[in-house]
Amino acid sequence: MEMNGARIIIECLHEQGVDTVFGYPGGAVLPLYDALFRYGKMKHILTTHEQGASHAADGYARSTGKVGVCIATSGPGATNLVTGLATAYMDSSPVVALTGNVAVPLLGRDSFQEVDITGITMPITKHNFIVKDVKELAHTVRLAFRIAREGRPGPVLVDIPKDVETSLCDYVPLQPLEPRKNRYPSPQAFQIAADMLGQSERPMFYVGGGVIRSGASRILQDFLEQVDAPAAVSLMGGGAIPVDSPRCTGMLGMHGTKVSNMSITDCDLLVVIGARFSDRVISDADRFAPQARILHIDIDPAEIDKNIGTHCHLVGDVGQVLEGLSKTIGKKLKHKAWMEEIARRKAKYPIRVSHESRRPKQIIDAISTQLPRGSFVCTEVGQHQMWASQFLKHVEPGHFITSGGLGTMGFGTGAAIGTQCGNPTARVVSIAGDGSFKMSCNELATIARYKLPIVIFLMNNHTLGMVRQWQSFFFEKRYSETTLDTKIDWVMLAKAFGVHGMRLSVNDDPEKVVKEALEHGGAVVVDCEIPIDDLVYPMVAPGAGIDNMLGVDEVTD
């Protein structure tokens, strides 16, 4: 059947099972929006800003496991997607961005609203395309979806000149392209890894977001039981292991637990699964796991030996690899003395909550206690993000949606929109800081427009808290441009957008206010006042070894 390029795009989206797209119209995508209006059977969410659309597509992808889709026009519309694409790229989130561009004859002529968006996004996408011939359009869109979801997921951008959207071409429907098979380790590699685990007396696991992307959390938990070992999680790995498990030592790295960092320093074998040795995890590479041999399991061969040298690596889908390794080991290992030492350390070194983080912990404890099973928690970036990662009780893997690799302030509100759209019956909350929320509060208009029952808990300390914390520790308390003393009434601002606003003062009972907010039934912004100098502890100073931590309280009784 002959149809124009814009309709071909819509038909290809239907082929891929897309039910929701996020975007903002403009001149270069008018044919696409016309086709969406005339032929689309999917929901379009009009965000307030293109960056919000990219974060929403990302949140949708992370929370559903599907590919998130966002649309933007040429020029500034396309460049407004850049931060969101970089965020998705750093955290391995499958997103397809469709951008319009000027007509093919106008490319490269500095035409109105023209940018080389494929050149701009080349370093921050898994792949990108510009389609200059309508005959290549359907195959390119299909290929973009396959690339986004296969192997290590990531964002893909397809740039479509306006005349390609209006050109005619025969369209033949096809089933989605099958992803290519993942690499799988050799029997010899499995045996080397099994021998390393069998010879170890103090094995320690470092678990990253790849476990969640793979859907391998249950497999990992069974494997930890088989090899009788503890595990620490990265920020992106939060929820991969139940926090109340005796095997879970909490987060590791700059704001990790003393138990995790100390145990990684003391272990004789470090098994790294679906993680990339981020600098926020390893700090001083020369002092990271100095006594350990390293076994790295990851789907992306580019991550092997990139930051830390390994003694053995298994490249492949982590769930499939763990199942293969389990069969190779073939028996239950025992590390009783090591697990008893881990238990002693967990009792001796709790996360510090004396006065530096008491109020944030009280608020997050109240949120965690009252959220129903199956809820999703999104965050912005900063101190509140670290407190959430430390104190939240993650109920299920993949339900903690945060920007890890890029650390994008302004991520949380858009991500919550995408998460709620992808999970309409689930409770979605966003934990934000006042600095981050100022960058994304315009998306309250989107929340109100679509009546999304998102509850935003605004941890309001009237400062850029994490930056101020660094200024306190390392810049002799010179608080250069980090105090947010603009008098913003967040409750009134929420009401201006048509969203319910509430206050939680430092003297209010968090349980009562959180309960009221969650029972409201609609969108709510809760302005939670916290002291300006509440700190995130523990903390590793830049350049220090991860076992050299500031702010650790020891239980001696």
Side-chain angles (χ1 to χ4, degrees):
M1 179 186 296
E2 188 177 67
M3 56 184 68
N4 69 16
R7 185 174 177 187
I8 289 172
I9 295 169
I10 298 301
E11 295 299 331
C12 288
L13 294 181
H14 288 316
E15 287 179 4
Q16 301 297 325
V18 175
D19 54 24
T20 306
V21 295
F22 307 88
Y24 203 95
V29 286
L30 278 177
L32 179 55
Y33 271 85
D34 185 61
L36 187 65
F37 182 87
R38 296 175 66 187
Y39 310 112
K41 300 171 186 175
M42 63 200 74
K43 187 172 185 178
H44 179 276
I45 302 297
L46 176 65
T47 55
T48 310
H49 191 280
E50 290 93 350
Q51 184 172 333
S54 63
H55 292 324
D58 189 351
Y60 177 94
R62 299 190 199 207
S63 64
T64 65
K66 303 176 186 177
V67 177
V69 180
C70 56
I71 302 172
T73 192
S74 63
T79 58
N80 282 341
L81 297 179
V82 167
T83 300
L85 292 174
T87 303
Y89 182 70
M90 291 290 281
D91 290 344
S92 306
S93 183
V95 171
V96 168
L98 304 173
T99 56
N101 212 329
V102 299
V104 172
L106 296 176
L107 291 171
R109 297 176 180 271
D110 293 332
S111 304
F112 176 69
Q113 289 193 334
E114 181 203 357
V115 296
D116 177 11
I117 194 61
T118 54
I120 290 170
T121 60
M122 187 176 294
I124 56 164
T125 52
K126 193 176 176 184
H127 200 83
N128 64 26
F129 304 88
I130 180 167
V131 183
K132 297 182 180 179
D133 186 340
V134 70
K135 295 184 177 119
E136 300 173 358
L137 182 58
H139 175 68
T140 302
V141 173
R142 291 162 179 155
L143 187 57
F145 275 83
R146 187 183 80 177
I147 292 171
R149 61 174 166 247
E150 72 180 358
R152 179 180 180 174
V156 178
L157 180 137
V158 182
D159 193 38
I160 310 144
K162 190 172 183 179
D163 55 343
V164 174
E165 297 175 51
T166 56
S167 297
L168 298 176
C169 180
D170 282 335
Y171 163 76
V172 179
L174 293 176
Q175 291 296 313
L177 296 173
E178 287 292 325
R180 291 168 291 192
K181 287 187 178 180
N182 297 314
R183 294 176 59 171
Y184 194 69
S186 68
Q188 294 83 358
F190 272 126
Q191 191 59 58
I192 292 170
D195 290 343
M196 291 173 70
L197 279 160
Q199 295 162 8
S200 172
E201 295 181 356
R202 301 185 308 280
M204 185 73 187
F205 281 62
Y206 156 24
V207 175
V211 172
I212 292 172
R213 294 286 179 272
S214 173
S217 297
R218 184 69 259 173
I219 296 171
L220 171 64
Q221 291 166 38
D222 291 342
F223 189 77
L224 290 174
E225 292 297 324
Q226 179 184 359
V227 300
D228 194 25
V233 296
S234 70
L235 178 66
M236 298 307 300
I241 309 166
V243 295
D244 56 356
S245 166
R247 303 197 180 279
C248 182
T249 61
M251 195 166 69
L252 76 160
M254 178 173 283
H255 294 293
T257 66
K258 175 73 171 178
V259 181
S260 291
N261 289 3
M262 175 189 261
S263 301
I264 282 177
T265 302
D266 293 343
C267 71
D268 63 4
L269 173 66
L270 181 61
V271 184
V272 183
I273 305 180
R276 57 185 179 82
F277 293 103
S278 161
D279 60 296
R280 286 296 177 102
V281 166
I282 65 175
S283 194
D284 182 352
D286 292 334
R287 286 182 277 180
F288 182 76
Q291 304 178 48
R293 292 193 292 173
I294 308 292
L295 168 60
H296 193 180
I297 301 172
D298 203 279
I299 199 168
D300 186 357
E303 292 297 341
I304 305 299
D305 297 325
K306 186 175 81 174
N307 294 326
I308 294 288
T310 63
H311 297 79
C312 176
H313 58 264
L314 304 176
V315 175
D317 174 84
V318 297
Q320 296 172 2
V321 171
L322 286 175
E323 288 179 331
L325 184 54
S326 174
K327 291 177 182 177
T328 304
I329 295 170
K331 61 182 180 180
K332 185 174 175 61
L333 305 180
K334 294 182 180 180
H335 300 101
K336 182 180 178 183
W338 177 234
M339 286 304 303
E340 288 175 347
E341 175 61 22
I342 294 295
R344 283 192 291 270
R345 290 177 178 183
K346 289 178 71 171
K348 189 174 182 179
Y349 300 108
I351 294 175
R352 181 172 179 173
V353 291
S354 52
H355 67 276
E356 291 87 352
S357 57
R358 181 183 299 276
R359 187 58 176 173
K361 182 179 186 302
Q362 290 172 344
I363 296 169
I364 292 171
D365 280 349
I367 295 169
S368 187
T369 299
Q370 299 196 43
L371 281 179
R373 187 172 181 81
S375 297
F376 291 84
V377 178
C378 303
T379 81
E380 295 286 353
V381 168
Q383 286 180 313
H384 65 277
Q385 178 191 31
M386 295 298 104
W387 287 320
S389 69
Q390 290 176 336
F391 301 130
L392 271 175
K393 305 298 184 290
H394 306 298
V395 178
E396 297 174 34
H399 286 232
F400 183 60
I401 313 293
T402 194
S403 171
L406 196 65
T408 304
M409 294 174 69
F411 169 79
T413 309
I417 290 170
T419 300
Q420 188 72 80
C421 290
N423 305 270
T425 62
R427 166 61 74 188
V428 177
V429 304
S430 177
I431 298 176
D434 50 326
S436 288
F437 191 56
K438 284 172 70 176
M439 297 185 178
S440 60
C441 63
N442 56 336
E443 294 300 341
L444 286 175
T446 309
I447 291 172
R449 176 187 177 119
Y450 295 100
K451 298 180 172 57
L452 303 175
I454 297 166
V455 179
I456 298 171
F457 293 96
L458 179 62
M459 309 291 273
N460 188 359
N461 54 6
H462 306 282
T463 188
L464 299 177
M466 187 60 81
V467 186
R468 181 184 175 93
Q469 179 165 329
W470 279 57
Q471 289 172 332
S472 296
F473 289 166
F474 312 119
F475 293 89
E476 299 178 341
K477 299 186 177 181
R478 293 186 293 274
Y479 300 125
S480 177
E481 300 302 323
T482 49
T483 302
L484 305 178
D485 51 7
T486 305
K487 302 297 183 183
I488 299 176
D489 188 325
W490 294 107
V491 172
M492 292 296 292
L493 179 71
K495 290 180 179 178
F497 281 104
V499 172
H500 185 58
M502 299 174 61
R503 299 189 199 280
L504 173 59
S505 75
V506 291
N507 297 316
D508 290 334
D509 177 10
E511 292 280 346
K512 179 181 178 182
V513 176
V514 168
K515 184 173 186 293
E516 183 180 343
L518 293 175
E519 290 179 349
H520 177 266
V524 183
V525 173
V526 185
D527 182 2
C528 306
E529 184 181 359
I530 62 173
I532 192 170
D533 281 316
D534 275 6
L535 301 175
V536 176
Y537 278 135
M539 181 176 181
V540 176
I546 63 169
D547 60 330
N548 184 10
M549 308 189 75
L550 305 172
V552 176
D553 283 342
E554 179 177 336
V555 176
T556 57
D557 55 357

